[in-house]
Amino acid sequence: PTPGLLLLTSFLLHVEEGHASPARLVCDNRLIQKYIGEAKDMEKSAGQCQALPVLSCPAVLPLVDFSLQQWKSKPKETKRREILCDLALLVGAVVGAQDQVTEKCGAGQLDQLHQHASSFLLLLQTFSWEAGPWEPGCSPRSVEQTHVTSIFLTYRQLVQGKLRFFFHDLAKDLCK
């Protein structure tokens, strides 16, 4: 099974147990470190692919840099929605790049990235503090890039930055 599917399955099993919910994912700091490691590996592997094309149709990527001070002052739901927006845009960029990258190495890395980013997207949709479904009606700050490697860079920055801090925030509540 794919790593993304494993992540989702193990997560859903925890949700099924009732109050255990996503606590393990959030409370076990090694997991987010593992995802950061995987993001770095994918970025490195993609960078080693030969003949990655320049994207004729640029990928629209979220700008995922943020100020820690500002981030800390935001409510959890706002953070979650912001990350969901970034992830939704990123997954869209991956899909767009998949249409343009045909050689095996790059295509394989993009498939892997798509699985990981989609898993986080599904995962964050299940953390809801407010009633009502999540609508992807958001427009995060974005930038157009023509290099496939920038998609991997953005994903790594998102996991290392906002996602890691978000999990850290959740851990404070869930892991008492």
Side-chain angles (χ1 to χ4, degrees):
T2 62
L5 206 60
L6 282 174
L7 163 70
L8 194 62
T9 313
S10 66
F11 172 71
L12 291 172
L13 287 172
H14 285 279
V15 174
E16 288 306 300
E17 290 164 11
H19 64 273
S21 78
R24 180 177 157 260
L25 182 67
V26 174
C27 299
D28 188 345
N29 192 25
R30 289 170 309 193
L31 274 168
I32 190 69
Q33 293 307 328
K34 175 176 169 275
Y35 298 125
I36 292 171
E38 287 171 352
K40 286 179 178 169
D41 291 345
M42 283 191 288
E43 184 184 12
K44 190 172 154 200
S45 301
Q48 290 167 346
C49 291
Q50 300 302 311
L52 274 179
V54 168
L55 299 174
S56 52
C57 179
V60 179
L61 295 171
L63 287 168
V64 294
D65 54 316
F66 65 103
S67 132
L68 196 54
Q69 285 315 106
Q70 278 183 325
W71 183 254
K72 284 180 170 170
S73 66
K74 291 178 183 175
K76 269 200 213 82
E77 183 61 16
T78 306
K79 293 177 187 176
R80 182 180 77 98
R81 284 172 186 268
E82 198 174 301
I83 297 170
L84 277 169
C85 284
D86 290 342
L87 279 168
L89 195 59
L90 187 69
V91 168
V94 174
V95 171
Q98 282 175 315
D99 291 342
Q100 301 177 64
V101 177
T102 49
E103 59 73 48
K104 206 169 157 212
C105 175
Q109 289 304 316
L110 281 167
D111 284 349
Q112 204 184 350
L113 179 59
H114 187 265
Q115 287 165 358
H116 283 240
S118 300
S119 302
F120 273 127
L121 197 57
L122 282 167
L123 188 68
L124 285 172
Q125 285 174 12
T126 59
F127 287 105
S128 185
W129 292 278
E130 292 171 5
W134 173 72
E135 285 94 32
C138 53
S139 47
R141 294 178 307 131
S142 61
V143 60
E144 289 194 352
Q145 292 285 2
T146 53
H147 294 287
V148 176
T149 46
S150 55
I151 302 174
F152 291 89
L153 170 68
T154 301
Y155 175 72
R156 175 179 61 76
Q157 289 173 327
L158 183 60
V159 175
Q160 246 180 334
K162 290 181 182 177
L163 257 172
R164 184 169 59 110
F165 285 108
F166 180 66
F167 279 174
H168 183 71
D169 280 350
L170 289 178
K172 282 186 248 176
D173 294 340
L174 290 170
C175 315
K176 293 189 165 66

